[in-house]
Each structure stands twice: as structure tokens, then as C-alpha cells.
Amino acid sequence: QLQLVESGGGLVHPGGSLRLSCAASGGIFDFYAIGWFRQAPGKEREGVSCIASSGGSTNYADSAKGRFTISRDNVKNTVSLQMDSLKPEDTGVYYCAAVHVWLCGLGDSEYDYWGQGTQVTVSS
């Protein structure tokens, strides 16, 4: 069974950057599409970005386009989310998730495996 562990969250000023990482174990990583989701206090979880199992296709939420970049390393079994020009509204718990398909989507119900999350706080 695939296990996912996120890291890289923290406190950053508006306009700053963070790089989140998701490390996978327990499965054949390059069989899985990976998504990043976030949940702000009092709000529903939302999809931020995802990447196909091969890394050849990516999707971004409108709120992330132009600021976030998702990438994966199928040798190291990791997926990264580079977040630049961060805004206070980017604050939340960020989760990575996996599904055993080739292409990816931003609906959380599509995903079978979830990490424990990492907190991102954007504040001055």
C-alpha cells in the first residue's frame, strides 16, 4: 500500500516562496498520478495541482496558475510543489494524494492514498 509523507511547510511572508515535497513508499510510484490539495480553516479541501504518473501532464487550479509549479522524480519517488508569490489566501494544510491512474484530476474523491499534511501559513 502506497504511503505518502509531506514536508516543507512553514511560515512565510506574502510574496515569499516555499517548496513542498511528497515522498512515497510502499508501491510502484510511477504507476500513480499525484495531486496536491489544501484545506483552509472552515473551508472545504480544494485541488491545487496534479501531475500524471509519467510526469508528462500537469493541471493547476486557477488560483495556482503562474505561481505554483509541480514536478516529480520517479527515481527518487518524490513530487514537489514549488510555490512562489505566496498570498495569505494560500494558507492552509497541504496534502499530497495518489491514485493508480495515468492522467490526473483535481477532484479529491478521485484519490485513494493521502499523506498527513503539512501546514503552510502566509502572513506578515
Side-chain angles (χ1 to χ4, degrees):
Q1 183 165 340
L2 198 68
Q3 297 175 336
L4 304 171
V5 178
E6 302 94 337
S7 61
L11 173 64
V12 64
H13 293 309
S17 297
L18 280 175
R19 187 176 181 87
L20 305 183
S21 291
C22 174
S25 61
I28 302 175
F29 184 65
D30 50 359
F31 283 3
Y32 292 85
I34 303 293
W36 281 100
F37 296 81
R38 68 185 179 195
Q39 188 165 23
K43 294 187 177 181
E44 293 187 354
R45 187 164 55 193
E46 62 175 346
V48 175
S49 182
C50 68
I51 189 165
S53 57
S54 68
S57 175
T58 58
N59 285 324
Y60 295 91
D62 288 344
S63 59
K65 288 178 181 177
R67 299 188 301 125
F68 294 3
T69 303
I70 192 170
S71 60
R72 68 187 293 161
D73 185 331
N74 282 355
V75 174
K76 295 182 178 179
N77 289 0
T78 58
V79 171
S80 296
L81 184 68
Q82 177 67 38
M83 304 189 296
D84 299 317
S85 302
L86 283 163
K87 305 174 182 179
E89 51 264 44
D90 294 318
T91 294
V93 179
Y94 282 68
Y95 301 89
C96 67
V99 58
H100 194 281
V101 296
W102 181 27
L103 296 176
C104 69
L106 295 179
D108 60 357
S109 62
E110 303 173 28
Y111 290 80
D112 299 314
Y113 303 99
W114 292 81
Q116 83 290 347
T118 186
Q119 177 70 45
V120 171
T121 303
V122 184
S123 176
S124 55

